[in-house]
Amino acid sequence: MAAIVLAGRRLPPRAAAVALRRQRSLPWWPPLLAGAYVVLGILASSRGAVAGDALARVVNADLVVAGTNPHFAAVGFVWGPLPSLIEAPLLLLFNGSVPGMLANGYAGVIMSSGFGAWLVWHVYRFVREEGAGAGWGAMIAAGIALNPMIVIYAISGMSEVPFLCTLVAALRHLVSWMRRGRSSELALAGCWLGAGYLIRYETLAAAAGAMVLTAGFSSYRARQAGLPRTRQAIADALVFAIPVLVAFVLFTGVSWWFTGQLFGEFSQEYGNPFFVRTLGAGMLPPSQVAGIISTDILGLEPLFPVVVALGVGVALRWRSEIFLALVAVLGAVAAFEVYSVATGSILTWLRFFISVIPFTTLALVLFRPWRLLGVALAVAVIGASFAGSWAITGNPAYANSELPYRALATGTPPYLATVNGAIELPGARAVAHWLDAEVADANTVLVDNQGNTFTVIAESRRSDLFVTPASRNFESTLEAPYQHGVRYFVTIPPTLGAAYSIVNRYYPGIWRGCVRDTQLAYTVGQRGDPSYWRVYRLTGPVSPGNSGDAPACRSISASILPAS
Amino acid sequence: MLGHAVEDSPDERRKRLIAHHPQPAEQARAEALDLAIHGLERTRPEMSARRTLVGWQRSAMAVTCAVLALGFAMQPVLTGSILISLLVALYVAAMVERSVVFARGLRAVEFLIRRPLPPMSDEELPRYTILVPAYREAEVVGHLVESLGALDYPPDKLEVLLLVEEDDDLTISALLPLDLPSFARVLLVPASEPRTKPKACNYGLHFATGELVTIYDAEDRPEPLQLRRAVDAFRRAGPRTVCLQARLQYYNARQNMLTRWFTVDYTTWFAIFLPGLASFGLPVPLGGTSNHIRAESLVAVGGWDPYNVTEDADLGIRLVRSGLRTGIIDSVTYEEANSDGLNWVRQRSRWYKGYMQTWLVHARQPVRMLRELGPHGFVSVTLLTGATPLLSGVNLLSWTCTIIFIIGTPSSLAQVFPAPVVYFGTAAAFFGNATVVYVSLIACRQTHQGHLAWAALTYPLYWVLMAVAAVKSLWQLVARPSYWEKTVHGLARAGPG
């Protein structure tokens, strides 16, 4: 059995034919799909449908490349850094010529559209690699590409679709490994999930599930081949897990290095616990939460239980690797989200359940051997999903970030939803334009980019005006702003919880004008508006906790200051 | 079977050996020796490692040292930063190159079709010469008979030349009682400097009658079908492929942690990395043994370089520079891994010294080297040979600095490392180590050696040893370039193979 490796003859003929199925060249439609998503996204955001989280990520990207202190750590450590790091070069290259890149979040649109098209490509290749023809491939791919929920998230600049892309890519490689046993496939699956972790932390659930599957499957295969089971299983689990571990250690380590905090996503200040506390979800009774969860899932995929039941049946009967892999990767994520929502550690937002869409749609390939019946089932499931997603994303009781996009699609004006829904940009725009006109020097406006006021940075044409928590020496600037050159504070009403703006936390009386040596310079909005903000000018040195002597000010409690 | 009395003198033992294994005529021996030592030097002086540095290299080195000295005297912080940045950039380039080659090699190896060996009649098979250089090899010479006997090749087409130094009484004494097969004979290499393996092999090559030549060490255990596989592979490859490297593997992997690491090292290198290089058409630094070469091509490129302590790597590059190719065959030769730390450092420092020698020799005419190897080949050779020892040393430096940095930065260190350099360096060290660990793990898994996973995970500790060897090699390169530090064999305890 002699084999030879020579230059230029990388693949022996038969293997080359197998490899062709992998199709290394890119077909025509993914770039077209990406372009379509970008166009839709630009249309939507230029009409006011901008997702809050998406714009915040773009602002983080902007802080990495623009402003007075460009540095990588400005990307922030509360969310996965990868989307912002991808948007950063876009801003660097195009923000001058296309102001909407930052102001309307187009950089985010481009990022998520690209991932959206890539997701659909992975779905298509997955189906084809199962041995299905182009018809099935197109059907399943369209089932994802045209699904209203997926479309919304592909065009919005949010991280859900990029996240799904990494999951499905990992799934593809995992199934390939299960079929053919090539370690390179397992390594690639691990690398995709490593990248996924840098997008959203829920990837860890998928990684855990996949690792269990890897160890179990490897052990099973080793037993069949008569090799030592435990060792092979451990080796395979490591091959899979190390890239995820590297991503985890890297992000955690860098986070610790720069902020002193290991896990910003779970921090009390800006992470999930904060949202849950301020937006008060933990107070719903369990039965209601269960009802919301099931409505969300069934809304997105009405035939989800049917597919799961049939899938389990097929998997048991035909020992299908696909179903196992789907459960281990996408199912684990969905289960994790359900658990998190049920225990109240995150809110009941519809988009947390987005992973059921690719789970159900990809599971349809299990029914391909049923021929016409399989096709009919697939069409029914996909059709039901389209209808259900369309309906639930238009329902204000369940949808929130999705509403503006849905509203645009039906021609009604964007629904002004709560904090993490669409954000109202006109208010931010007004403040930003006023600041652009009024303020000459850099580093003179202090604003918290992690609260709601990040939109001011987005709408301003001069990123260098702003001092944010990402700036160098932010703490010392916060303690002695005037001495550091700061002349303006942008602040929000304290009713949202003082923790929601670091300015309010350090200067509790600022909103009511109770801080000495400050005067109201500009105001926008009224009580009850999403953008009800004030800009205070500093006329002299101020220090934290200095609430002033007027009677109305004396009641301001200084205990909201952070423990140092 | 020759008996011997204990009170024999070395001279008498030698005479007895000669009686049983007649040597060539004196003139032939002198001629062979002369060619062995001076052959390459005469035909291709620019490729000989007789002198480590040539004119312009000496000047360049002097200028560089002067610039560095001046820089450190006048602007130590700036000079330090620039130097560190350059080293880190080189490190990153080496890591990227290795990863790319590894990925290619992994794919190539995964897609290999296993073909059965076609039947070949004895008449079809070409004559094969096996050179076995032995120096102070009392312990393992006994196993040699076994391994030779196990080879599946017609004895009348086989020729084994045991190359023993004339004054190597130890080996001669060990050989006397042995009953060597008919196709094996002992060639006594006249005592001469440089006392190296390639000189002995060149000497043996002069008397070789085979169409194909290979080298095995005394303790090697090649797979019995290896010679046939090589013949089959040569047939299927084009005429430009004149060399085939088999995979080296250790049989005493489980002996201790060092042997485990060493096995991981070899596995990654031979099982995945070399196929990657061959797949790209890049020069393949050959292994010390089990490289099967067409005799006439070997003579045409000048044989081995007797002054180079890693003559195998040098030959691999010289072959490509002459427009010839190396392939990899899917056959294993088992060797003994060094199980003793000190011994290992000696061996590895010789390898590193040889790598640096090799690079300095080939980079003597950089333009010609670039032309003959192509840009990718040029970069690859530089990063794999010249840069490897340097970067091993750098790794040690970067760890030390990272540890100091984590514990608490002394202000002087903070000055040498301005922030971007620190981040770049730390990131490079982190990814570099992570990549190597990961790549080693995959290689072990690919070759069904899952039990070495722990060794792969702790691989960075192995690098500490490598760094020590690197420092030693640098000193030796300056002081004693052609000194061949002998590796002691026979340290493997009998254990599960």
Side-chain angles (χ1 to χ4, degrees):
Chain A
M1 292 192 297
I4 190 166
V5 177
L6 283 182
R9 262 199 262 159
R10 180 161 40 110
L11 302 175
R14 187 142 59 99
V18 169
L20 263 176
R21 280 262 197 91
R22 297 194 67 84
Q23 198 177 333
R24 287 165 199 275
S25 60
L26 194 68
W28 52 270
W29 56 266
L32 214 63
L33 182 63
Y37 283 147
V38 168
V39 167
L40 273 178
I42 290 180
L43 281 176
S45 79
S46 61
R47 280 174 172 69
V50 179
D53 281 356
L55 190 62
R57 281 197 169 85
V58 177
V59 167
N60 283 347
D62 182 56
L63 291 174
V64 171
V65 294
T68 48
N69 184 25
H71 61 293
F72 278 113
V75 77
F77 298 98
V78 178
W79 289 322
L82 201 56
S84 297
L85 289 177
I86 294 174
E87 289 157 6
L90 291 173
L91 288 173
L92 195 61
L93 292 173
F94 300 116
N95 198 22
S97 43
V98 183
M101 274 284 168
L102 173 60
N104 288 351
Y106 295 162
V109 169
I110 294 173
M111 186 271 306
S112 64
S113 301
F115 274 113
W118 207 355
L119 165 68
V120 177
W121 187 73
H122 280 301
V123 167
Y124 179 74
R125 290 308 310 161
F126 179 78
V127 175
R128 293 302 304 272
E129 279 159 15
E130 289 310 302
W136 264 89
M139 178 171 64
I140 304 289
I144 298 283
L146 303 176
N147 184 300
M149 186 73 170
I150 301 281
V151 170
I152 288 173
Y153 281 95
I155 71 177
S156 67
M158 301 274 270
S159 60
E160 275 71 10
V161 157
F163 171 58
L164 288 181
C165 177
T166 62
L167 290 182
V168 174
L171 185 74
R172 240 184 96 195
H173 289 295
L174 196 61
V175 169
S176 177
W177 171 76
M178 288 167 90
R179 291 270 162 77
R180 276 157 242 159
R182 294 200 196 104
S183 297
S184 58
E185 297 290 335
L186 193 58
L188 280 172
C191 290
W192 272 110
L193 287 189
Y197 177 71
L198 296 177
I199 296 177
R200 289 184 76 91
Y201 71 89
E202 292 99 320
T203 314
L204 289 181
M211 199 157 119
V212 168
L213 176 65
T214 304
F217 194 77
S218 170
S219 175
Y220 165 74
R221 231 202 327 235
R223 180 158 54 112
Q224 290 203 316
L227 291 167
R229 283 164 58 187
T230 326
R231 287 209 171 111
Q232 299 295 79
I234 292 177
D236 277 333
L238 282 172
V239 169
F240 170 76
I242 283 180
V244 184
L245 199 66
V246 164
F248 181 79
V249 167
L250 183 70
F251 188 55
T252 313
V254 173
S255 171
W256 172 72
W257 187 341
F258 282 102
T259 67
Q261 269 188 337
L262 284 177
F263 299 112
E265 284 148 338
F266 307 105
S267 78
Q268 294 301 309
E269 290 159 8
Y270 298 114
N272 289 327
F274 157 71
F275 275 113
V276 173
R277 231 180 26 244
T278 49
L279 301 179
M283 299 190 269
L284 289 173
S287 56
Q288 198 174 349
V289 171
I292 295 178
I293 294 175
S294 42
T295 313
D296 282 344
I297 294 180
L298 290 176
L300 292 175
E301 284 284 351
L303 292 178
F304 175 74
V306 174
V307 172
V308 169
L310 288 175
V312 168
V314 168
L316 285 176
R317 176 78 177 83
W318 300 109
R319 296 177 155 223
S320 157
E321 300 108 348
I322 303 178
F323 194 71
L324 272 178
L326 277 174
V327 167
V329 176
L330 291 167
V333 169
F336 177 72
E337 303 283 19
V338 167
Y339 173 75
S340 303
V341 172
T343 54
S345 54
I346 58 174
L347 301 170
T348 55
W349 286 330
L350 182 63
R351 65 177 194 259
F352 290 138
F353 303 105
I354 198 172
S355 52
V356 302
I357 298 179
F359 179 88
T360 317
T361 316
L362 287 174
L364 294 173
V365 302
L366 287 169
F367 312 126
R368 195 171 63 90
W370 296 353
R371 297 171 187 264
L372 226 52
L373 187 61
V375 174
L377 183 61
V379 169
V381 171
I382 292 175
S385 175
F386 280 12
S389 300
W390 179 259
I392 201 167
T393 51
N395 185 340
Y398 293 98
N400 109 352
S401 327
E402 302 81 8
L403 285 171
Y405 298 95
R406 268 288 270 112
L408 277 181
T410 50
T412 55
Y415 180 93
L416 298 177
T418 54
V419 163
N420 215 36
I423 44 183
E424 196 211 28
L425 289 179
R429 215 162 271 155
V431 175
H433 291 171
W434 181 83
L435 285 170
D436 284 348
E438 176 82 5
V439 182
D441 302 323
N443 274 348
T444 47
V445 182
L446 196 134
V447 72
D448 186 356
N449 71 309
Q450 292 178 359
N452 223 11
T453 43
F454 69 87
T455 43
V456 174
I457 305 177
E459 300 308 311
S460 164
R461 296 240 24 166
R462 294 189 51 197
S463 303
D464 60 337
L465 289 179
F466 301 99
V467 175
T468 67
S471 304
R472 216 195 298 262
N473 299 325
F474 182 66
E475 267 85 43
S476 44
T477 309
L478 203 52
E479 310 233 324
Y482 194 83
Q483 291 87 323
H484 281 83
V486 172
R487 294 290 176 268
Y488 295 91
F489 281 170
V490 177
T491 177
I492 63 169
T495 48
L496 272 177
Y500 204 35
S501 161
I502 204 166
V503 174
N504 283 12
R505 236 180 328 146
Y506 273 68
Y507 299 90
I510 186 77
W511 178 259
R512 291 202 225 142
C514 290
V515 177
R516 265 196 214 103
D517 294 324
T518 64
Q519 53 176 214
L520 184 60
Y522 188 78
T523 182
V524 69
Q526 298 166 344
R527 183 194 292 267
D529 283 349
S531 311
Y532 177 31
W533 298 332
R534 289 179 184 162
V535 181
Y536 278 88
R537 183 183 293 118
L538 303 182
T539 52
V542 298
S543 56
N546 186 343
S547 293
D549 290 330
C553 298
R554 263 188 230 121
S555 62
I556 304 282
S557 161
S559 66
I560 329 173
L561 275 177
S564 48
Chain B
M1 197 55 150
L2 301 169
H4 68 279
V6 176
E7 49 288 357
D8 269 355
S9 72
D11 262 345
E12 289 180 6
R13 282 193 277 274
R14 191 183 330 127
K15 288 204 184 92
R16 271 220 302 283
L17 192 71
I18 293 175
H20 200 73
H21 297 279
Q23 297 297 302
E26 268 315 307
Q27 197 186 355
R29 293 183 78 214
E31 212 176 272
L33 185 69
D34 179 60
L35 274 178
I37 298 176
H38 302 293
L40 185 67
E41 215 185 317
R42 278 194 211 119
T43 55
R44 289 160 203 243
E46 74 279 7
M47 302 260 201
S48 166
R50 173 92 190 268
R51 286 139 50 103
T52 313
L53 296 171
V54 293
W56 74 263
Q57 288 178 324
R58 242 191 275 270
S59 321
M61 198 129 292
V63 166
T64 312
C65 288
V67 167
L68 277 175
L70 206 65
F72 273 114
M74 293 188 351
Q75 287 264 35
V77 172
L78 183 64
T79 312
S81 301
I82 294 178
L83 187 64
I84 304 274
S85 305
L86 285 174
L87 287 175
V88 171
L90 193 64
Y91 184 89
V92 170
M95 277 303 140
V96 169
E97 164 75 7
R98 272 170 202 261
S99 306
V100 167
V101 173
F102 182 85
R104 177 82 167 223
L106 188 62
R107 279 297 203 201
V109 162
E110 280 174 344
F111 277 102
L112 279 181
I113 298 178
R114 310 228 130 218
R115 294 168 38 140
L117 202 57
M120 289 182 284
S121 68
D122 287 1
E123 292 75 45
E124 289 177 64
L125 292 173
R127 192 161 170 76
Y128 226 113
T129 300
I130 300 179
L131 302 172
V132 185
Y135 188 52
R136 297 194 206 270
E137 302 272 22
E139 306 86 2
V140 295
V141 140
H143 297 299
L144 189 58
V145 181
E146 243 179 81
S147 310
L148 293 179
L151 283 173
D152 184 345
Y153 210 76
D156 56 322
K157 291 287 181 94
L158 197 55
E159 174 187 46
V160 174
L161 300 174
L162 252 82
L163 305 167
V164 181
E165 296 281 322
E166 210 170 37
D167 54 356
D168 182 5
D169 186 49
L170 200 64
T171 315
I172 292 176
S173 313
L175 278 175
L176 280 175
L178 292 181
D179 200 7
L180 296 174
S182 53
F183 48 79
R185 61 187 182 116
V186 177
L187 269 184
L188 289 176
V189 182
S192 51
E193 290 301 322
R195 193 78 70 142
T196 59
K197 172 174 149 186
K199 183 203 74 181
C201 290
N202 276 341
Y203 182 82
L205 185 63
H206 188 83
F207 297 109
T209 57
E211 196 182 307
L212 299 175
V213 173
T214 187
I215 303 180
Y216 287 127
D217 281 346
E219 86 279 13
D220 281 356
R221 299 178 194 171
E223 183 234 348
L225 287 174
Q226 190 169 111
L227 301 182
R228 285 181 183 266
R229 290 197 207 288
V231 170
D232 176 54
F234 272 125
R235 286 222 180 107
R236 286 191 288 119
R240 274 179 64 192
T241 302
V242 301
C243 179
L244 294 169
Q245 175 69 52
R247 200 182 117 202
L248 301 183
Q249 173 77 315
Y250 287 129
Y251 56 75
N252 61 329
R254 291 180 211 234
Q255 190 176 342
N256 61 28
M257 200 62 208
L258 181 61
T259 59
R260 280 190 172 85
W261 280 331
F262 211 178
T263 309
V264 170
D265 192 357
Y266 256 35
T267 302
T268 316
W269 184 253
F270 282 101
I272 315 276
F273 200 74
L274 290 194
L277 287 175
S279 175
F280 270 127
L282 296 170
V284 175
L286 300 175
T289 76
S290 312
N291 29 63
H292 304 260
I293 317 176
R294 292 193 210 263
E296 58 177 6
S297 310
L298 181 56
V299 172
V301 299
W304 290 281
D305 185 345
Y307 292 98
N308 192 321
V309 298
T310 49
E311 76 292 349
D312 35 26
D314 170 67
L315 180 65
I317 299 172
R318 203 166 353 115
L319 284 174
V320 175
R321 289 184 70 172
S322 311
L324 306 168
R325 277 210 201 120
T326 304
I328 311 291
I329 48 171
D330 187 23
S331 175
V332 181
T333 299
Y334 286 97
E335 293 198 313
E336 183 198 348
N338 228 319
S339 51
D340 172 57
L342 229 54
N343 214 13
W344 184 92
V345 170
R346 259 188 239 124
Q347 184 184 47
R348 186 57 59 121
S349 62
R350 170 171 68 81
W351 291 357
Y352 280 164
K353 182 175 68 175
Y355 279 168
M356 290 192 281
Q357 255 185 328
T358 304
W359 185 72
L360 285 169
V361 164
H362 284 281
R364 272 176 196 165
Q365 300 169 313
V367 178
R368 190 175 149 196
M369 179 180 166
L370 179 64
R371 196 169 20 102
E372 284 171 354
L373 294 177
H376 195 185
F378 183 89
V379 166
S380 167
V381 165
T382 305
L383 291 175
L384 283 183
T385 57
T388 299
L390 183 67
L391 294 175
S392 290
V394 166
N395 208 26
L396 194 63
L397 177 71
S398 79
W399 282 339
T400 318
C401 292
T402 309
I403 291 173
I404 295 177
F405 194 82
I406 291 178
I407 295 174
T409 326
S411 55
S412 57
L413 204 61
Q415 280 182 321
V416 177
F417 295 110
V421 178
V422 172
Y423 301 154
F424 192 34
T426 312
F430 177 73
F431 281 111
N433 280 284
T435 307
V436 165
V437 166
Y438 194 47
V439 145
S440 310
L441 184 70
I442 295 181
C444 290
R445 180 61 193 90
Q446 181 70 22
T447 51
H448 304 288
Q449 296 180 92
H451 57 276
L452 293 175
W454 179 240
L457 287 176
T458 52
Y459 209 67
L461 295 173
Y462 183 56
W463 272 13
V464 175
L465 279 175
M466 286 203 232
V468 172
V471 171
K472 179 163 190 249
S473 69
L474 198 57
W475 177 77
Q476 271 207 356
L477 182 71
V478 172
R480 297 187 277 182
S482 289
Y483 171 58
W484 186 289
E485 207 155 7
K486 186 75 187 84
T487 310
V488 176
H489 288 294
L491 297 172
R493 279 171 299 155

